[in-house]
Amino acid sequence: MTIRVLLVDDQPLLRTGFRLILEAEPDIAVVGQAGDGKGALEQARALMPDVILMDIRMPGVDGIEATRRIVREAAAGAHVPKVLVLTTFDLDEYIVEALRSGASGFLLKDVPPDELVQAIRVVAAGDAIVAPSVTRRLLDRFAAKLPSAYQQTTPARLDRLTERELEVLKLIAKGMSNAEIAAKLVVSETTVKTHVGNVLTKLGLRDRVQAVVLAYESGLSTPGALS
């Protein structure tokens, strides 16, 4: 299966560089480019890409608002593109807002070519590309700014989880991979993958990134809690 990618960045040189990297891969095709959020919305509707690489800081409609609109429109239809946010800064203060807007993760603009390609494939397969440790580091810094939208509804949602699933959610929030969780719980990675899938389904979450955000907002995990 060919992964259809839309590139969105206000710098033509960067778009060209990403296109050259991605088009060298046999399973990836760059189907379009846009220089701002408005163009991204139009291209997403017309081209129906599988993955969108989305810059944050752009004139007019920025990447956060464009991501929010694309995800909202996709929720009403059958085709749901995955959005990877691009940022110049490792701890850009806009990243958390971008994740909350519906992005499946984020990449630094200086990401090595092999990591960019792998990220595209991982996201296209339905997973998030933000490494758990990076997600945790971001939330540790910005957790105080996160709105408390889940404070009233989260306890009831968490009640849907079994004791084991709740334990898995806590470990996800601590930045553990499936392999690390499997070792911690002395179970197979396949079993962990099943538990993670159940957690996401029961809580109505899109991916591990949203699971970490919810764990923070519900008080299940707190900034700096490593044990």
Side-chain angles (χ1 to χ4, degrees), residues 166-203:
L166 188 61
E167 187 174 11
V168 168
L169 175 57
K170 291 178 181 179
L171 296 178
I172 291 174
K174 289 180 180 179
M176 288 190 171
S177 66
N178 284 357
E180 292 170 333
I181 294 174
K184 172 77 173 180
L185 301 181
V186 194
V187 297
S188 69
E189 284 191 52
T190 300
T191 298
V192 172
K193 187 174 182 179
T194 298
H195 287 318
V196 172
N198 289 341
V199 168
L200 299 181
T201 299
K202 289 182 178 182
L203 297 181

